[in-house]
Amino acid sequence: MDKILETDPSQLLQRLAPDHIRLYRWGATQTFFTVEEAATALDTTEGAANTAIGALEEFHLVDQAHGSVNLQGLGNYGPSWRVVHPHLAAARMASTESQLRHRLFELNARRDSLDALAAVHVTRPNERAEAAEAVEVIDRLSDVITLIEQASAECEHEMISCQPGGGRPTEELEQAVARDTALLTRGVRMRTLYQHSARRHAPTQAYAERVSLVGAQVRTMTELFGRVIVFDRRIAFVPHHQCRGGAAVVRSPAAIAFLVDAFDRAWDLAVPFGEPEHTPVAVDDLRQSILRLLSKGLKDEVIARRLGISLRTCRKHIADLFQELGADSRFQAGYLAATRGLLGGLGDEA
């Protein structure tokens, strides 16, 4: 095989040095020459001459004279060399290039074969089962409901859910009452998180009251980390990132452990669900969160969506806060709230 094919790739980037070119010019005037002759003629060491010859050989610019090795026994001259015309050297390098291209073609063909085998490897029964258990994306709401009902029927120990966005739709709550009551009567522990704004939603109040009577725990906080339902810490449902009503069904133990930990942290900061007039803490949290979000420069629409309240309610709270603080602008309200210590400790609640 050509030496270029065996050469360190970094060596291929090297160029001929002036000493190498000087030896080539002198060698072009000789029929044959040895390392000793080159060193003497160029007034250099034999080591330097040998290095220059090696560099020229890498470029196909010198050849070892045919039969010179067999003549070494007749004296201590070593092999004889002769220079090669640059056009011939280029032709030889073209041949090497062809060999390299052929090798690359073979490597690409092998890579294609490995890619095909990788696809086969993934479809092995045990790995296919593991992949299927990780995440399953469901686009249709009806299919999501069916899977939730199935998971609910199979649940034996615990069901937790996080429901941001204020009060839930009445039809959804009606379905949840029957499903959750069945869970609770089987002895399943159930914990549900809502936002404080859900306290003002009559259907959600009625749902919380009914499930609480049979053992459910319901709490609220100002902001939640996201919507999720987890059954027995083995299967979780989170919203589809694009399809409204769709869901991603998560079965990965690591992912579920992360979701449960986030829920538990929020649960510890939440307050028990109750009538709005009996929960001043919830009202204070809501208004303080509005102040915090105002201080960040968020618009009314964004604040309302984050806190699960209507835009009208949000703006009413903002107007009341401006009046209480004596503020004329968002910036001033945020500044006054900060100087009075009304924003401390709220950034970590969810």
Side-chain angles (χ1 to χ4, degrees), residues 331-349:
F331 176 80
Q332 188 180 19
Y335 173 77
L336 292 173
T339 56
R340 297 177 189 180
L342 301 178
L343 304 180
L346 293 172
D348 301 326
E349 75 171 8

Side-chain angles (χ1 to χ4, degrees), residues 234-257:
R234 64 175 181 82
I235 182 171
F237 296 83
V238 298
H240 193 292
H241 67 292
Q242 288 182 329
C243 298
R244 184 177 179 83
V249 184
V250 182
R251 295 183 176 86
S252 165
I256 290 177

